[in-house]
Amino acid sequence: MNAPLEYLLHLADNAVVLGQRNAEWCGHGPILEEDIALSNVSLDHIGQARLLYQLAAARMGEGATEDRLAYFRDAAEFRNYTLLELPHHGPLVGYAVAERDYATTIVRNFLYAALMVLVWEALEQGSDPDLAAIAAKAVKETRYHLHHAADWVVRFGDGTDESHARAQAALDHLLPYTEEFWTPSPAETAAAACGAAPLLADLRSAWDAQVDATLAAATLRRPQEPAYVPEGKLGRHSEHLSYLLGEMQSLARAHPGAVW
Amino acid sequence: MNTPALKEWPLWEVFVRSKQGLEHKHCGSLHAADAAQALHMARDVYTRRQEGVSIWVVPSAAITASNPDEKGELFDPAADKIYRHPTFYAIPDEVGHM
């Protein structure tokens, strides 16, 4: 049974927004080797987004295309987690002047990849055969993303005083946003009801175990989750998403229908 | 904690075996903090276009290289000994790949 379109867009928007956000590092990575590694992660995400948008567009019909879905929807129509649209630095930092902080980048990738390994594994067994095929490809990529990010979380946390402090600050800033993972949206509930997707609540203990094990190895302290739950997947975003989309969509909107 | 910051990461030589290849071939070098990270980096830097199915990394400092100044005495004496090439007889089929 097919997953609801809203659910496909949620998965696709997650992938394209994080792919675009991490692509900001392309050519600016901390060292050449890591610059290439993170660009590879971005390209995996954009590849996942394309497959999901293509599937959603094919099911929508009426002239929908992957490009229309990625480039001609506005921020309120995006269904990604708020966590993924945040800039690469801590809270309350002026947007234009802030330097990107690689610990923030890595901690976000870690928290998200730890979830998505579990989500893709479940989707691979789900009732939507097209989505299961995408999941089978994406899960391998995402296992590597998790490996890559967890490795750096441990190196930062159990590294120098400065790297530890930065990793802890990033964790304190970002972990509360993961509350959004565990509050189901109507699209997620509908996808689980038709057997296409997992109930997120069922994944939580495995996610907690992964996060706690890595944080322990990294000598990092897990902050308390606050009561506030972000609602990016319902279309209610932070102020950061429209800037990100403004950059990502500008070319396609200036030259509609342009091809290479 | 209180680990001193490593300002210069050591250099590693990367060897990749392709799908059809029988041996790992040297394909370049990179900087990484340790062997495990060097393997990750090698995956990302040198196997992005399906170049390989296996990777070795070796600390560059562990390689002892011949001296370019000794090129003449090391290699030139072999130049006129073409009989060392196994091209003067037929290899039986049973031998297979050599």
Side-chain angles (χ1 to χ4, degrees):
Chain A
M1 211 169 146
N2 287 351
L5 287 172
E6 280 274 302
Y7 183 72
L8 296 180
L9 290 177
H10 163 61
L11 293 174
D13 292 345
N14 280 342
V16 85
V17 167
L18 186 59
Q20 172 72 16
R21 188 54 94 191
N22 279 339
E24 289 173 16
W25 280 107
C26 186
H28 304 278
I31 54 160
L32 177 106
E33 289 85 349
E34 186 58 21
D35 187 302
I36 295 172
L38 193 71
S39 297
N40 289 348
V41 173
S42 263
L43 289 169
D44 286 345
H45 281 134
I46 289 165
Q48 292 170 7
R50 286 196 63 189
L51 292 172
L52 291 159
Y53 283 137
Q54 286 165 5
L55 178 60
R59 290 180 181 176
M60 284 174 180
E62 297 176 356
T65 65
E66 54 176 321
D67 280 1
R68 286 211 73 79
L69 293 172
Y71 297 133
F72 292 91
R73 287 183 303 142
D74 290 332
E77 297 167 87
F78 271 71
R79 294 289 176 265
N80 58 283
Y81 294 125
T82 302
L83 171 72
L84 307 179
E85 73 208 29
L86 301 175
H88 297 285
H89 54 63
L92 307 177
V93 182
Y95 190 90
V97 296
E99 285 199 14
R100 295 185 199 94
D101 171 49
Y102 209 65
T104 304
T105 304
I106 287 296
V107 168
R108 184 218 327 263
N109 287 354
F110 167 67
L111 297 172
Y112 176 66
L115 177 75
M116 290 311 293
V117 165
L118 303 170
V119 171
W120 292 126
E121 282 174 355
L123 290 175
E124 208 181 338
Q125 310 300 323
S127 64
D128 184 332
D130 297 322
L131 183 54
I134 294 171
K137 176 177 184 292
V139 72
K140 291 186 202 167
E141 297 167 345
T142 308
R143 282 192 190 114
Y144 189 79
H145 302 170
L146 177 59
H147 208 108
H148 173 260
D151 187 71
W152 275 116
V153 168
V154 173
R155 287 175 190 277
F156 286 156
D158 194 20
T160 66
D161 287 342
E162 182 183 356
S163 71
H164 178 88
R166 285 194 189 210
Q168 186 64 57
L171 192 64
D172 292 347
H173 170 44
L174 295 174
L175 191 90
Y177 285 90
T178 63
E179 271 305 292
E180 188 176 2
F181 295 171
W182 316 116
T183 309
S185 65
E188 286 171 315
T189 304
C194 76
L199 280 170
L200 271 285
D202 294 344
L203 308 180
R204 186 163 195 176
S205 62
W207 185 83
D208 277 334
Q210 168 75 59
V211 168
D212 289 341
T214 302
L215 295 190
T219 71
L220 292 168
R221 177 184 41 77
R222 183 169 173 164
Q224 291 291 318
E225 288 93 355
Y228 173 67
V229 181
E231 294 182 322
K233 62 188 176 185
L234 302 179
R236 289 189 277 274
H237 293 281
S238 71
E239 69 271 31
H240 304 292
L241 180 62
S242 48
Y243 290 99
L244 180 146
L245 293 180
E247 184 169 16
M248 184 180 90
Q249 297 175 332
S250 62
L251 188 72
R253 290 186 180 205
H255 305 278
V259 291
W260 291 105
Chain B
M1 208 119 20
N2 287 319
T3 313
L6 206 55
K7 294 288 184 197
E8 285 290 330
W9 288 352
L11 194 63
W12 302 78
E13 300 301 322
V14 180
F15 300 81
V16 170
R17 182 166 71 76
S18 68
K19 209 169 205 167
Q20 290 84 20
L22 293 167
E23 72 288 279
H24 288 70
K25 286 187 179 160
H26 185 244
C27 62
S29 57
L30 52 75
H31 289 93
D34 58 31
Q37 190 182 63
L39 266 184
H40 271 166
M41 300 288 199
R43 180 265 192 192
D44 281 313
V45 175
Y46 291 111
T47 67
R48 302 171 76 227
R49 300 180 184 86
Q50 295 188 295
E51 288 91 340
V53 294
S54 173
I55 304 171
W56 289 348
V57 290
V58 178
S60 304
I63 292 177
T64 308
S66 60
N67 182 349
D69 294 342
E70 295 170 2
K71 198 162 72 91
E73 63 211 67
L74 285 177
F75 307 117
D76 287 353
D80 62 349
K81 300 177 177 69
I82 56 164
Y83 49 81
R84 290 176 178 168
H85 290 276
T87 51
F88 296 92
Y89 50 86
I91 298 171
D93 289 341
E94 302 86 72
V95 173
H97 180 86
M98 273 186 75

